[in-house]
Amino acid sequence: MLGFNSKKQYDENIKNPPSDDSCPMVSALFSKNNNLGVNALSLAILDLIDRDQIKCDIDLDGSYDVGKKLTSEDMEVMKKITLRIANKGELKTSQTAAINLLKNMNKNKKFNLKAMAKQTNNSSVANKFEKDFDEFIKALKNENGYDGENYKDILESSKLTGKGKEIKKQWKSFQDYLKSKELTEKYPPQSVEENSMQILYGACFGIEKDALSIRQNNSNLTDFIDKDGYKLLNIIFNNALLNVSEKRKGDGIFYGVNDKYTIPGGG
């Protein structure tokens, strides 16, 4: 936990994200690698929930944490989390691709996470998911002018530029703020929207539950995070890629697949 005797000095600007880059790009550029994996899709869906483009209904009281291996209890929790696609108005191409992926995967605009998870054990569904996922990644790259090695004046030849390194330091300070009870109490979010935004950025760095623990659970997004929804989405999407009938190599897309989270009932 940060203390105010730290060498770093903070003011109220610490609670402002250092750039307006999209969450998937922030996660890719300023985390452990420069790759866009399934978490980019999960982050896009979190953003759509936050924007009320995807409705989220949760029939579960209290917080929930998924363990190191999926259990029958986890599956029942998934059953109690229902998503309904209600997109209206203009969307980015990548957002439309993410929504279409969910529609194709579930063959419906309304579904619970357990049903979606079970679908990923079907190789034909998994194969379609892979194609839709590729379309999402392609759209995301095109929107951001990202070719896997270069991005704006931040990334060149897969290495952060001087400006990129400086912005990374600023994002690290923002992460410190998101995790610090002391800093959050001193510079709290001033609205429900800002509160949700901060927790969404927390998901970019895998600290969404830490950020939520010192903020209010007062929106559809924060309640979804409270039930470990971000982690569940990553598990579901990774499982789909595990069940693709023809595995690919060398396409430059990092999936981050971890088979310890295989959905029960798979082949």
Side-chain angles (χ1 to χ4, degrees):
M1 192 65 66
L2 293 177
F4 292 118
N5 292 325
S6 171
K7 293 181 180 180
K8 291 185 178 180
Q9 297 297 316
Y10 298 101
D11 58 29
E12 63 182 355
N13 290 320
I14 187 62
K15 70 176 187 174
N16 299 322
S19 75
D20 61 357
D21 298 290
S22 68
C23 286
M25 292 306 304
V26 169
S27 180
L29 292 172
F30 303 116
S31 296
K32 294 181 180 179
N33 58 62
N34 299 331
N35 298 306
L36 290 165
V38 294
N39 70 310
L41 175 60
S42 298
L43 287 168
I45 291 171
L46 293 185
D47 187 41
L48 288 165
I49 292 173
D50 193 38
R51 295 172 185 272
D52 217 25
Q53 297 283 348
I54 296 178
K55 305 288 186 179
C56 181
D57 298 314
I58 300 176
D59 184 24
L60 182 69
D61 295 326
S63 183
Y64 190 80
D65 294 297
V66 178
K68 292 184 178 180
K69 186 175 182 179
L70 282 183
T71 64
S72 58
E73 184 181 4
D74 296 330
M75 297 299 288
E76 287 308 301
V77 167
M78 288 192 207
K79 187 177 180 179
K80 295 178 180 180
I81 302 175
T82 299
L83 300 182
R84 177 168 57 85
I85 298 169
N87 58 299
K88 297 180 180 179
E90 188 174 346
L91 294 175
K92 294 180 180 178
T93 304
S94 64
Q95 292 173 326
T96 299
I99 285 175
N100 287 337
L101 178 151
L102 291 178
K103 288 179 182 177
N104 291 335
M105 196 175 189
N106 296 281
K107 298 179 175 58
N108 207 323
K109 290 185 177 182
K110 184 178 180 179
F111 47 90
N112 64 60
L113 295 191
K114 181 180 179 180
M116 180 163 69
K118 289 289 187 179
Q119 282 283 85
T120 64
N121 287 323
N122 184 312
S123 61
S124 64
V125 172
N127 292 341
K128 176 59 176 168
F129 170 85
E130 183 187 42
K131 292 179 181 178
D132 289 343
F133 177 68
D134 286 352
E135 287 301 311
F136 165 75
I137 293 295
K138 180 180 178 181
L140 190 63
K141 287 182 174 181
N142 287 341
E143 286 170 4
N144 292 279
Y146 179 58
D147 63 9
E149 295 184 346
N150 303 284
Y151 175 72
K152 296 183 176 178
D153 55 356
I154 294 173
L155 189 73
E156 290 182 3
S157 302
S158 299
K159 295 183 179 180
L160 290 173
T161 63
K163 181 176 180 179
K165 291 177 181 178
E166 180 57 35
I167 294 178
K168 184 176 183 178
K169 289 180 183 178
Q170 294 173 23
W171 277 109
K172 180 61 174 65
S173 293
F174 185 61
Q175 289 179 63
D176 291 342
Y177 162 72
L178 293 176
K179 294 187 294 183
S180 169
K181 185 174 187 292
E182 195 170 2
L183 287 174
T184 299
E185 288 178 347
K186 186 172 184 180
Y187 308 113
Q190 296 298 306
S191 66
V192 172
E193 292 75 18
E194 188 174 34
N195 186 76
S196 291
M197 176 273 292
Q198 291 179 1
I199 294 167
L200 175 56
Y201 274 114
C204 291
F205 303 102
I207 57 170
E208 69 280 359
K209 295 295 284 280
D210 297 311
L212 178 57
S213 70
I214 49 179
R215 288 170 178 79
Q216 294 186 49
N217 179 4
N218 57 6
S219 70
N220 284 336
L221 175 66
T222 59
D223 202 26
F224 186 70
I225 293 294
D226 189 49
K227 307 308 184 282
D228 235 356
Y230 175 56
K231 187 173 184 178
L232 288 171
L233 286 178
N234 284 327
I235 291 170
I236 291 169
F237 297 148
N238 274 328
N239 192 69
L241 293 173
L242 278 170
N243 286 293
V244 171
S245 57
E246 190 172 330
K247 302 297 186 292
R248 302 176 313 175
K249 295 182 180 179
D251 60 6
I253 296 176
F254 175 77
Y255 294 138
V257 175
N258 191 330
D259 61 5
K260 69 181 178 181
Y261 286 118
T262 300
I263 306 298

